[in-house]
Amino acid sequence: MTRGGEQMGRWFDDAAGPVVRPYAMTRGRTRSAAEGKLDLIAVVVADAMSHRTVADQTLSPEHIDIVEMSRDTPQSVAELAAELDLPVGVVRVLIGDLLHAALVRVSRPVPPAELPDERILREVINGLRAL
């Protein structure tokens, strides 16, 4: 089928094979319940019981890839998106699904505003040295 000399309905990339649109991977969702936890540097770690994901027929290949990649080495959301070559928004939704299924855990680094002041740390060190 063509329109103005342009082929329509082509869901195939010669180099990559069949193309799946990002909204299809997330079933049209753009946000997950865990959106607030999933900034770019949030670290994803597969749960110890995540080995059951291979047998889970409800998970997409992308879900399984995220679990596999974060099983041995904790990965940030940005690293997962880059490795999977997917938009960060899609990866956030997929990780949210895995969080809901208790297949991964997410930890966030301490924001700089919550870290102790350098002056206080120096006083503690000086106090310990004085002992």
Side-chain angles (χ1 to χ4, degrees):
M1 177 174 9
T2 63
R3 176 176 60 166
E6 179 181 318
Q7 189 172 8
M8 291 180 47
R10 187 166 180 229
W11 287 76
F12 191 84
D13 180 346
D14 293 332
V19 177
V20 176
R21 301 292 181 206
Y23 62 82
M25 289 180 212
T26 62
R27 296 182 218 119
R29 297 169 297 145
T30 58
R31 294 181 176 262
S32 72
E35 190 75 24
K37 294 182 179 180
L38 298 174
D39 55 6
L40 290 176
I41 58 173
V43 177
V44 179
V45 180
D47 189 75
M49 297 301 292
S50 65
H51 60 276
R52 69 177 192 253
T53 59
V54 177
D56 191 346
Q57 298 296 317
T58 62
L59 296 177
S60 70
E62 292 78 18
H63 284 114
I64 293 171
D65 288 343
I66 291 170
V67 172
E68 293 296 324
M69 290 170 58
S70 60
R71 180 173 288 138
D72 297 327
T73 307
Q75 302 280 324
S76 72
V77 173
E79 289 171 319
L80 290 168
E83 189 68 30
L84 294 170
D85 197 25
L86 292 172
V88 172
V90 170
V91 173
R92 284 180 175 156
V93 172
L94 297 174
I95 293 170
D97 295 344
L98 295 171
L99 274 169
H100 181 68
L103 295 173
V104 297
R105 294 184 323 262
V106 174
S107 62
R108 296 174 61 199
V110 178
E114 293 180 16
L115 291 173
D117 185 19
E118 183 180 340
R119 183 181 49 71
I120 294 172
L121 292 175
R122 288 191 189 281
E123 288 179 18
V124 169
I125 292 171
N126 290 338
L128 290 172
R129 286 184 182 150
L131 294 176

